[in-house]
Amino acid sequence: MSAPLLSVAGLCVSYGRVEAVRDVSITVAPGAIVTILGPNGAGKTSLLGAVMGVLRSRGTLAFAGAPIERRAVERRVADGMCLVPEKRELFVTMSVEDNLRLGGFRRRASSDYGATLDRMWTLFPRLKERRAQMAGTLSGGERQMLAMARALMSGPKLLMLDEPSLGLAPLIVRDIFRIVAELRDSGVSILLVEQNARAALELADYGYVLENGSVVLEGPAAALRQDERVIAAYLGIRSVAT
Ligand code: ATP
């Protein structure tokens, strides 16, 4: 097995007396999609925030073989980590293209900026059609695409997505998950937090189930899809589309 790209061990995040993440250990192999499932309040967002460095945590974090606990967020971005938060956090009064320019500001002076922008237009043709439109006027699905494209402008090795399907129609979710698979095929590793367990386990290589801040189950996604506890808690209700 190749060395993990991301390795998290014994991670804890607290908000005052609330322990949101307790002794969590996960790894993401290069080129893998790893999903984190779990109910509301399980600690999924806090886990991503700690990995990205926007939240304080205890425990060990290693990226591409190097310890990163003491690295600031900016340094983690420069190293190749990127987080698309659940709220998508776009610059709503700026155009689609200007949002992407900001995502790629580190590259703007370099010659591959134009190539990266072109690649985004290929991955997200809907965004290309709307390149001059104000981000605040995009649909929910288009906003999610723009948030992902903006993150990708920094050329990450690891893309962390917090509930990319939240509030989106099934057809758009399918589109977004197809793009996530394409990104993995192009060599980007993905850490995917999802409420849509069925879709996430179909896409992912490996999964963890987080409950009350702790990992209660983990395994290859194919095995989790067959696990009775996962079926009962997360896959019990079949969606209309299946
Ligand atoms: P959801 O799916 O609802 O987004 P989650 O699994 O991402 O949930 P977190 O958002 O990480 O869970 O929250 C984990 C726990 O930490 C919850 O009990 C939550 O109330 C608490 N928590 C999160 N953020 C804060 C905060 N800023 N201050 C205090 N408690 C917080």
Side-chain angles (χ1 to χ4, degrees), residues 200-213:
L201 288 176
E202 268 161 26
L203 183 69
D205 302 294
Y206 199 86
Y208 295 86
V209 179
L210 205 60
E211 288 180 5
N212 283 321

Side-chain angles (χ1 to χ4, degrees), residues 154-204:
S154 66
K157 297 188 185 103
L158 175 69
L159 180 67
M160 294 185 273
L161 299 170
D162 195 355
E163 309 232 7
S165 76
L166 196 73
L168 305 182
L171 273 180
I172 303 287
V173 172
R174 205 189 297 173
D175 230 21
I176 285 179
F177 276 39
R178 178 185 52 74
I179 292 164
V180 172
E182 272 180 48
L183 290 171
R184 185 254 319 265
D185 296 344
S186 74
V188 181
S189 306
I190 315 274
L191 185 55
L192 171 69
V193 161
E194 254 303 332
Q195 292 266 344
N196 186 341
R198 182 180 301 279
L201 288 176
E202 268 161 26
L203 183 69

Side-chain angles (χ1 to χ4, degrees), residues 15 18 20 39-46 86 163 195:
Y15 302 99
V18 177
N40 287 120
K44 306 181 297 298
T45 299
S46 302
E86 190 181 315
E163 309 232 7
Q195 292 266 344

Side-chain angles (χ1 to χ4, degrees), residues 22-86:
R22 305 169 205 212
D23 196 21
V24 164
S25 299
I26 65 166
T27 57
V28 179
I33 299 179
V34 173
T35 189
I36 314 276
L37 306 175
N40 287 120
K44 306 181 297 298
T45 299
S46 302
L47 171 61
L48 293 189
V51 171
M52 193 65 235
V54 293
L55 285 179
R56 288 181 56 160
S57 61
R58 285 172 289 124
T60 59
L61 291 170
F63 186 68
I68 57 162
E69 298 90 353
R70 302 173 77 87
R71 290 188 186 166
V73 184
E74 298 75 14
R75 174 74 196 280
R76 295 186 200 196
V77 172
D79 289 344
M81 298 172 71
C82 212
L83 169 64
V84 179
E86 190 181 315

